[in-house]
Amino acid sequence: MSPRDPLSLVTEAFTSLLFGRTETTRLPVRTSTGQAQAVYLPTAAPGLGDSGVIIGREVYSGKGYIYDPFQLYGQQLPAPHWLVLGESGNGKSALEKTYVLRQLRFKDRQIVVLDAQGEDGVGEWNLIAHELGITPIRLDPMAAIDGNVRLNPLDPSITTTGQLALLRTIIEVALGRSLDERSGFALKVAHAYVHQTTTDRQPILTDIVERLRHPLPEAADAMNVALEDVRAWGLDVALVLDRLVDGDLRGMFDGPTTVGIDLDAPLIVFDLSHIDRNSIAMPILMAIVGVWLEHTWIRPDRKKRIFLVEEAWHIINSPSVAQLFQRLLKFGRRLGLSFVAVVHHLSDVVDGAAAKEAAAILKMASTRTIYAQKSDEARSTGQVLGLPRWAVEIIPTLTPGMAVWDVNGNVQVVKHLVTEAERPLVFTDRAMTESSAMVLAEEQLTEDEDPFEAETEARVMSFEKRQGVG
């Protein structure tokens, strides 16, 4: 070894005296992608690509956040269905509306909305429908009596198997229990008779009620029982259906389907705001609308369809209705259907009688968007949905307009942005559905003239134009 330079020795001695150690040569720092992701969890997940509609921006990276279940289906998404969780006042309603408006820029998209919220006699989606020149399909027990819209559960466009399944669901929802074998037999016999003998018009519920009250001797002979027994078996069923024919739900389902419902419009809005959302009528209504749409609206063509349901806990939390929609979701994946379920709390749907059915539907929702929740609710939600711990800890701190997005394991915190053109359509009902905090947040965003919002508005136009949007 060559003798060391005296100056180096002096420098080393001085460093040792000053810092209590000698300076050593450090090796270069090396890391792997996996190590970087472990350290920077919130920012490490890759984006979803650049095809689809713009939602907003990723909070941590600042990148634009683009999402479209039809573009992602297959390689990145096993199913195109989407669950949105959030209380009013956090931006859930604004997200739904801007998402629909941006999807409608694609000519091959068609959207149905079950609008279960509203005040002053109109649904929350009324203004958007009006702006697009569309008349909402309003289902109202009192208005329907005067000749407004009716949907017939026995519509010939629905298969006989589908009709019978729908009738069973209506009755089970109203009874709050499953049909026993005897009542099920009485319903099956009555439905078969009405289907076979009514050829000059649409069969209607009144026909079923009449046959349940007055069964034919052949029905008793088939089971080798007395005719009075068959009548007794169908009594509960007849009483439930009579509520839709001559009770408080009359006028919506007790006649032929209204002629002229436009199922080719780009946006179809069913206004359910006149129905008490806490009554038994709402899940019955959703079941009938869902099955009717399954057989009349979803067709094997090239269109991509979105079915957005507000107050979707009425569907997921009812075993009978959930089973109907499970089939619709499985069937819809082959025909380009994306089901969007909007609920307030996950506990609304996983702690009820339909826990098994709810879990099955949640499993099919590969996209989950979660707005601010309290800590205990966030922990419960995270456990059910399998969210990473950092995301669960962030959920209670989210401000209005921000949400955790989980797209098949790709988890990001996203700030939803609304363009100036969309703002009048999205926030016209803010006093009814959005908290003052949400209003202030959106107004502050306008005052700050966020440059990314301007970029979003420009890209909403140009981005989809490059993909062939008219």
Side-chain angles (χ1 to χ4, degrees):
M1 294 180 60
S2 58
R4 299 183 63 182
D5 179 42
L7 182 60
S8 298
L9 293 174
V10 173
T11 302
E12 182 177 323
F14 178 76
T15 302
S16 177
L17 178 65
L18 186 63
F19 298 105
R21 66 181 190 277
T22 58
E23 189 172 343
T24 59
T25 303
R26 296 182 179 273
L27 295 174
V29 176
R30 293 182 175 87
T31 187
S32 66
T33 303
Q35 290 171 327
Q37 289 179 340
V39 175
Y40 300 105
L41 281 174
T43 61
L48 300 176
D50 59 359
S51 296
V53 297
I54 297 175
I55 301 297
R57 63 179 172 192
E58 297 173 10
V59 170
Y60 295 109
S61 69
K63 297 187 301 182
Y65 193 79
I66 300 162
Y67 171 78
D68 190 292
F70 305 110
Q71 300 287 347
L72 298 173
Y73 178 65
Q75 293 184 345
Q76 291 178 269
L77 272 183
H81 308 307
W82 179 17
L83 173 69
V84 182
L85 294 169
E87 289 275 10
S88 295
N90 285 300
K92 171 173 54 67
S93 178
L95 173 66
E96 299 166 30
K97 292 175 181 176
T98 55
Y99 176 74
V100 166
L101 288 170
R102 294 169 191 179
Q103 281 284 0
L104 287 174
R105 294 179 180 274
F106 293 86
K107 289 185 176 180
D108 65 341
R109 305 293 158 89
Q110 196 182 25
I111 301 167
V112 164
V113 175
L114 297 195
D115 181 5
Q117 302 191 63
E119 285 185 0
D120 300 325
V122 296
E124 190 176 346
W125 288 76
N126 184 70
L127 184 64
I128 289 178
H130 178 74
E131 185 72 15
L132 297 176
I134 294 165
T135 301
I137 302 169
R138 183 168 300 162
L139 291 168
D140 180 355
M142 298 309 296
I145 295 173
D146 299 328
N148 281 0
V149 174
R150 283 180 172 84
L151 295 181
N152 185 11
L154 302 179
D155 192 313
S157 61
I158 304 175
T159 64
T160 54
T161 302
Q163 291 176 13
L164 185 58
L166 180 54
L167 290 173
R168 288 186 65 100
T169 297
I170 293 170
I171 295 161
E172 289 176 348
V173 169
L175 291 175
R177 58 175 173 79
S178 299
L179 273 183
D180 58 54
E181 293 298 328
R182 293 178 177 181
S183 296
F185 172 77
L187 176 64
K188 179 181 177 182
V189 170
H191 175 258
Y193 177 83
V194 169
H195 176 71
Q196 293 167 5
T197 59
T198 309
T199 57
D200 58 338
R201 58 176 175 81
Q202 283 191 17
I204 58 176
L205 288 178
T206 304
D207 300 326
I208 300 289
V209 173
E210 180 66 19
R211 188 50 50 207
L212 286 167
R213 286 174 171 169
H214 305 287
L216 296 174
E218 300 91 280
D221 295 340
M223 292 295 291
N224 195 26
V225 296
L227 188 61
E228 285 302 315
D229 290 336
V230 178
R231 183 179 293 111
W233 296 351
L235 181 59
D236 286 346
V237 176
L239 290 174
V240 169
L241 293 180
D242 186 66
R243 184 179 178 187
L244 277 69
V245 171
D246 198 30
D248 57 328
L249 300 181
R250 68 191 184 280
M252 294 184 290
F253 316 114
D254 55 354
T257 297
T258 301
V259 177
I261 296 177
D262 185 6
L263 294 178
D264 294 318
L267 176 63
I268 305 168
V269 176
F270 286 86
D271 183 350
L272 315 183
S273 61
H274 284 250
I275 310 297
D276 181 359
R277 69 187 67 175
N278 296 313
S279 76
I280 201 66
M282 190 62 81
I284 290 176
L285 187 60
M286 289 188 174
I288 293 174
V289 172
V291 172
W292 186 76
L293 286 171
E294 177 185 351
H295 290 86
T296 60
W297 176 56
I298 301 176
R299 288 165 261 178
D301 54 21
R302 294 185 178 181
K303 283 191 175 181
K304 304 294 190 295
R305 292 178 169 86
I306 297 170
F307 187 14
L308 189 152
V309 180
E310 294 180 338
E311 304 286 346
W313 64 273
H314 287 292
I315 291 173
I316 305 175
N317 206 32
S318 171
S320 304
V321 182
Q323 288 172 7
L324 286 179
F325 273 80
Q326 273 183 261
R327 186 183 73 250
L328 175 62
L329 267 60
K330 292 178 181 177
F331 175 73
R333 282 195 294 179
R334 300 196 304 270
L335 296 175
L337 173 69
S338 173
F339 176 68
V340 184
V342 184
V343 299
H344 284 199
H345 300 286
L346 201 57
S347 57
D348 291 340
V349 298
V350 299
D351 296 334
K356 180 179 178 181
E357 291 79 5
I361 290 181
L362 292 177
K363 187 176 181 181
M364 284 189 274
S366 300
T367 301
R368 295 88 170 264
T369 301
I370 305 97
Y371 284 89
Q373 297 177 342
K374 294 180 180 179
S375 296
D376 55 346
E377 183 79 19
R379 285 192 296 270
S380 175
T381 298
Q383 183 176 10
V384 173
L385 299 182
L387 297 175
R389 187 174 65 180
W390 69 263
V392 174
E393 293 173 350
I394 284 174
I395 289 173
T397 70
L398 295 172
T399 57
M402 291 174 57
V404 169
W405 282 66
D406 176 8
V407 182
N408 194 34
N410 185 318
V411 184
Q412 298 281 0
V413 180
V414 178
K415 170 66 178 178
H416 171 229
L417 294 178
V418 182
T419 68
E420 287 301 321
E422 295 166 330
R423 194 177 300 277
L425 298 176
V426 169
F427 292 115
T428 52
D429 59 351
R430 62 176 68 182
M432 170 172 62
T433 59
E434 306 292 350
S435 71
S436 58
M438 181 65 193
V439 176
L440 290 174
E442 294 297 333
E443 291 176 348
Q444 184 63 46
L445 185 62
T446 303
E447 293 171 4
D448 293 344
E449 296 182 350
D450 190 334
F452 190 86
E453 183 174 8
E455 179 189 350
T456 299
E457 185 157 14
R459 293 182 73 187
V460 164
M461 300 294 294
S462 65
F463 209 40
E464 295 137 342
K465 185 176 180 181
R466 296 201 304 270
Q467 301 174 54
V469 182

